[in-house]
Amino acid sequence: MRDARDNPFSPGADIVPEVWAGRTEQLSDWRDVVRPRLIAGLPERGRTILGEPGLGKSSLVRRIAQRAAEAGDWVTPQLRIPSGSDPLKLVASAILQLAEQAELPAARERRIKDALGRVQTVAVSGISLTVRAQDGPEPYSALTALLVEVGRAAIERGNVALIHLDEVQNIADEHALSQLLIALGDAVTHEEPVELPGGASVRRSLPIAVYLTGLPDFEDRAGAHKGATFARRFKTTVLTAIDDDDIAAALQEFVLPGWEVPDGAGGIGRIRMEEAAAAAIVELCRGEPFLFQLAGERAWYASGEATITRAQVMSGWRGAQREAAAHVERILTRLPPRERAFLEAMAGLPARERRLSRIAAEAGYAKATDAGPTSQRLDTVRGIIDRGKLYSFRHRAVEAYLTSDWPNLA
Ligand SMILES: Nc1ncnc2c1ncn2[C@@H]1O[C@H](COP(=O)(O)OP(=O)(O)OP(=O)(O)O)[C@@H](O)[C@H]1O
Ligand SMILES: [Mg+2]
């Protein structure tokens, strides 16, 4: 009954997993803040969701986009920016897709036809347009103009248009980045006059939601170079590990009443999980969504029986240890050497001695204050540590990897 086709765990990237855990704050931000405010015509900043690899940034916004589409909103597919590509082309074609959902190509207005035409040109030529810009406006203004038309159509329809740009850290070209942030930001802050019954006019914001997702490095670039404008137009969240309670809650459906699978005879069977098995998965994955899916998948495959046991979780994990270690190594090797050295120095100290002065000395700094910028980045930009009087790890898989035999079982 437990076979590959029914396995609900999915450690692959960019999937909205069937076994979903936590992230309630971010989901409710969309459902209870962003969407209702946009529909009411109130201004709302775009959202930037950053985090270390595998923390579930793409999945989160795909889930939000799914919910939006179910509610009748217009959504772009997840637009993954390949490294070295021209992001303006990609975003231009995405906006054209939104325009299509909004049925703008059927519109008669000259203004809309022009806006469509200009964005079609951007979709073909991208950033190179700015090089020979003498003969026309910059590409970003074309994107903004069409987004504004999409927004107007959304006001008519009473829904929201949602744009999701993923892997934004891959936008290497400064000029392209700035054009994009301005194009999206201008649409998000655009104010549209609307006529009230009786002839008076008020201004409202457009119902356009922008989600940017990617690695934390993006914040440095967008933040530093675009400064206050970016911060005013986009609200940044750094994702960290999922709470153990949320992971346990996600597994509860296996514990009770059991996860439904086809029983092979046209009916429904249930795959159950021992409480101890669920607890072992929680313990092994350290709040990492990727490792959660990995541990679940391996436990599922460890046997064909109707109940997932603790022993199966353990034997499954043994087969996943290398992949789990590689996951954390990927995070560590991406770090600049200073940040990595800081973490290693921190990990080398007993938890109660992790004060900045001690860690800085261990990491070879002459003065504790010299380590300040590095520790600050590890906290606020990356979400890997917490700075208090005592420093601690927020990224529990990194902590486990650096301070114990994890992911290896004894
Ligand atoms: N809330 C969640 N609950 C359970 N599993 C999740 C959750 N979010 C993500 N996952 C799983 O974690 C894995 C990584 O997710 P995702 O690809 O979205 O991460 P990411 O942060 O975008 O990573 P990268 O930086 O590599 O792009 C996927 O297998 C996904 O199914
Ligand atoms: Mg991703």
Side-chain angles (χ1 to χ4, degrees), residues 216-230:
D217 317 70
F218 176 72
E219 172 80 354
D220 294 338
R221 302 192 34 238
H225 294 278
K226 314 295 164 277
T229 321
F230 177 71

PDB file of all heavy atoms in Angstrom, residues 216-230:
ATOM      1  N   PRO A 216      19.461  35.466   0.761  1.00  0.00           N
ATOM      2  CA  PRO A 216      19.605  36.699   1.533  1.00  0.00           C
ATOM      3  C   PRO A 216      20.545  37.722   0.893  1.00  0.00           C
ATOM      4  O   PRO A 216      20.424  38.912   1.153  1.00  0.00           O
ATOM      5  CB  PRO A 216      20.192  36.235   2.865  1.00  0.00           C
ATOM      6  CG  PRO A 216      19.862  34.802   2.957  1.00  0.00           C
ATOM      7  CD  PRO A 216      19.793  34.277   1.556  1.00  0.00           C
ATOM      8  N   ASP A 217      21.460  37.258   0.072  1.00  0.00           N
ATOM      9  CA  ASP A 217      22.409  38.181  -0.554  1.00  0.00           C
ATOM     10  C   ASP A 217      21.702  39.289  -1.318  1.00  0.00           C
ATOM     11  O   ASP A 217      22.239  40.370  -1.519  1.00  0.00           O
ATOM     12  CB  ASP A 217      23.320  37.418  -1.513  1.00  0.00           C
ATOM     13  CG  ASP A 217      23.787  36.117  -0.905  1.00  0.00           C
ATOM     14  OD1 ASP A 217      22.927  35.206  -0.766  1.00  0.00           O
ATOM     15  OD2 ASP A 217      24.959  36.022  -0.531  1.00  0.00           O
ATOM     16  N   PHE A 218      20.486  39.008  -1.733  1.00  0.00           N
ATOM     17  CA  PHE A 218      19.741  40.009  -2.491  1.00  0.00           C
ATOM     18  C   PHE A 218      19.545  41.284  -1.683  1.00  0.00           C
ATOM     19  O   PHE A 218      19.626  42.384  -2.223  1.00  0.00           O
ATOM     20  CB  PHE A 218      18.382  39.444  -2.895  1.00  0.00           C
ATOM     21  CG  PHE A 218      17.504  40.441  -3.604  1.00  0.00           C
ATOM     22  CD1 PHE A 218      17.791  40.826  -4.896  1.00  0.00           C
ATOM     23  CD2 PHE A 218      16.412  41.008  -2.968  1.00  0.00           C
ATOM     24  CE1 PHE A 218      16.992  41.752  -5.552  1.00  0.00           C
ATOM     25  CE2 PHE A 218      15.613  41.932  -3.612  1.00  0.00           C
ATOM     26  CZ  PHE A 218      15.902  42.304  -4.911  1.00  0.00           C
ATOM     27  N   GLU A 219      19.287  41.118  -0.400  1.00  0.00           N
ATOM     28  CA  GLU A 219      19.007  42.271   0.461  1.00  0.00           C
ATOM     29  C   GLU A 219      20.161  43.270   0.437  1.00  0.00           C
ATOM     30  O   GLU A 219      19.953  44.470   0.392  1.00  0.00           O
ATOM     31  CB  GLU A 219      18.739  41.787   1.886  1.00  0.00           C
ATOM     32  CG  GLU A 219      18.613  42.882   2.925  1.00  0.00           C
ATOM     33  CD  GLU A 219      17.246  43.546   2.938  1.00  0.00           C
ATOM     34  OE1 GLU A 219      16.428  43.234   2.063  1.00  0.00           O
ATOM     35  OE2 GLU A 219      17.015  44.386   3.823  1.00  0.00           O
ATOM     36  N   ASP A 220      21.382  42.748   0.459  1.00  0.00           N
ATOM     37  CA  ASP A 220      22.544  43.632   0.420  1.00  0.00           C
ATOM     38  C   ASP A 220      22.493  44.518  -0.814  1.00  0.00           C
ATOM     39  O   ASP A 220      22.682  45.708  -0.752  1.00  0.00           O
ATOM     40  CB  ASP A 220      23.840  42.815   0.308  1.00  0.00           C
ATOM     41  CG  ASP A 220      24.073  42.003   1.561  1.00  0.00           C
ATOM     42  OD1 ASP A 220      23.513  42.386   2.598  1.00  0.00           O
ATOM     43  OD2 ASP A 220      24.815  41.014   1.478  1.00  0.00           O
ATOM     44  N   ARG A 221      22.213  43.867  -1.927  1.00  0.00           N
ATOM     45  CA  ARG A 221      22.304  44.606  -3.184  1.00  0.00           C
ATOM     46  C   ARG A 221      21.132  45.561  -3.327  1.00  0.00           C
ATOM     47  O   ARG A 221      21.309  46.738  -3.545  1.00  0.00           O
ATOM     48  CB  ARG A 221      22.372  43.630  -4.336  1.00  0.00           C
ATOM     49  CG  ARG A 221      23.571  42.704  -4.144  1.00  0.00           C
ATOM     50  CD  ARG A 221      23.873  41.899  -5.369  1.00  0.00           C
ATOM     51  NE  ARG A 221      23.585  42.622  -6.569  1.00  0.00           N
ATOM     52  CZ  ARG A 221      22.736  42.201  -7.492  1.00  0.00           C
ATOM     53  NH1 ARG A 221      22.107  41.074  -7.339  1.00  0.00           N
ATOM     54  NH2 ARG A 221      22.550  42.912  -8.564  1.00  0.00           N
ATOM     55  N   ALA A 222      19.951  45.033  -3.158  1.00  0.00           N
ATOM     56  CA  ALA A 222      18.794  45.900  -3.321  1.00  0.00           C
ATOM     57  C   ALA A 222      18.789  46.957  -2.231  1.00  0.00           C
ATOM     58  O   ALA A 222      18.550  48.129  -2.483  1.00  0.00           O
ATOM     59  CB  ALA A 222      17.516  45.076  -3.267  1.00  0.00           C
ATOM     60  N   GLY A 223      19.085  46.546  -1.011  1.00  0.00           N
ATOM     61  CA  GLY A 223      19.063  47.466   0.111  1.00  0.00           C
ATOM     62  C   GLY A 223      20.100  48.559  -0.031  1.00  0.00           C
ATOM     63  O   GLY A 223      19.791  49.740  -0.004  1.00  0.00           O
ATOM     64  N   ALA A 224      21.340  48.153  -0.255  1.00  0.00           N
ATOM     65  CA  ALA A 224      22.424  49.121  -0.281  1.00  0.00           C
ATOM     66  C   ALA A 224      22.318  50.063  -1.478  1.00  0.00           C
ATOM     67  O   ALA A 224      22.418  51.272  -1.340  1.00  0.00           O
ATOM     68  CB  ALA A 224      23.763  48.396  -0.304  1.00  0.00           C
ATOM     69  N   HIS A 225      22.073  49.490  -2.630  1.00  0.00           N
ATOM     70  CA  HIS A 225      22.122  50.327  -3.825  1.00  0.00           C
ATOM     71  C   HIS A 225      20.868  51.149  -4.036  1.00  0.00           C
ATOM     72  O   HIS A 225      20.924  52.263  -4.505  1.00  0.00           O
ATOM     73  CB  HIS A 225      22.407  49.468  -5.053  1.00  0.00           C
ATOM     74  CG  HIS A 225      23.772  48.867  -5.005  1.00  0.00           C
ATOM     75  ND1 HIS A 225      24.887  49.570  -5.389  1.00  0.00           N
ATOM     76  CD2 HIS A 225      24.197  47.667  -4.585  1.00  0.00           C
ATOM     77  CE1 HIS A 225      25.943  48.799  -5.198  1.00  0.00           C
ATOM     78  NE2 HIS A 225      25.557  47.645  -4.717  1.00  0.00           N
ATOM     79  N   LYS A 226      19.756  50.554  -3.683  1.00  0.00           N
ATOM     80  CA  LYS A 226      18.515  51.285  -3.952  1.00  0.00           C
ATOM     81  C   LYS A 226      18.034  52.010  -2.703  1.00  0.00           C
ATOM     82  O   LYS A 226      17.096  52.776  -2.741  1.00  0.00           O
ATOM     83  CB  LYS A 226      17.427  50.351  -4.472  1.00  0.00           C
ATOM     84  CG  LYS A 226      17.890  49.412  -5.553  1.00  0.00           C
ATOM     85  CD  LYS A 226      18.297  50.171  -6.825  1.00  0.00           C
ATOM     86  CE  LYS A 226      19.100  49.312  -7.752  1.00  0.00           C
ATOM     87  NZ  LYS A 226      20.526  49.236  -7.415  1.00  0.00           N
ATOM     88  N   GLY A 227      18.684  51.724  -1.583  1.00  0.00           N
ATOM     89  CA  GLY A 227      18.456  52.477  -0.359  1.00  0.00           C
ATOM     90  C   GLY A 227      17.016  52.546   0.077  1.00  0.00           C
ATOM     91  O   GLY A 227      16.259  51.595  -0.036  1.00  0.00           O
ATOM     92  N   ALA A 228      16.679  53.711   0.567  1.00  0.00           N
ATOM     93  CA  ALA A 228      15.396  53.895   1.222  1.00  0.00           C
ATOM     94  C   ALA A 228      14.230  53.585   0.289  1.00  0.00           C
ATOM     95  O   ALA A 228      13.203  53.079   0.735  1.00  0.00           O
ATOM     96  CB  ALA A 228      15.295  55.325   1.734  1.00  0.00           C
ATOM     97  N   THR A 229      14.386  53.860  -0.992  1.00  0.00           N
ATOM     98  CA  THR A 229      13.263  53.643  -1.901  1.00  0.00           C
ATOM     99  C   THR A 229      12.822  52.194  -1.866  1.00  0.00           C
ATOM    100  O   THR A 229      11.642  51.887  -1.786  1.00  0.00           O
ATOM    101  CB  THR A 229      13.675  53.977  -3.348  1.00  0.00           C
ATOM    102  OG1 THR A 229      14.501  55.116  -3.290  1.00  0.00           O
ATOM    103  CG2 THR A 229      12.475  54.235  -4.193  1.00  0.00           C
ATOM    104  N   PHE A 230      13.792  51.314  -1.926  1.00  0.00           N
ATOM    105  CA  PHE A 230      13.453  49.892  -1.911  1.00  0.00           C
ATOM    106  C   PHE A 230      12.752  49.522  -0.610  1.00  0.00           C
ATOM    107  O   PHE A 230      11.730  48.851  -0.604  1.00  0.00           O
ATOM    108  CB  PHE A 230      14.714  49.048  -2.109  1.00  0.00           C
ATOM    109  CG  PHE A 230      14.460  47.582  -2.037  1.00  0.00           C
ATOM    110  CD1 PHE A 230      13.768  46.930  -3.047  1.00  0.00           C
ATOM    111  CD2 PHE A 230      14.898  46.846  -0.950  1.00  0.00           C
ATOM    112  CE1 PHE A 230      13.512  45.564  -2.971  1.00  0.00           C
ATOM    113  CE2 PHE A 230      14.644  45.485  -0.868  1.00  0.00           C
ATOM    114  CZ  PHE A 230      13.951  44.847  -1.883  1.00  0.00           C
TER     115      PHE A 230
END
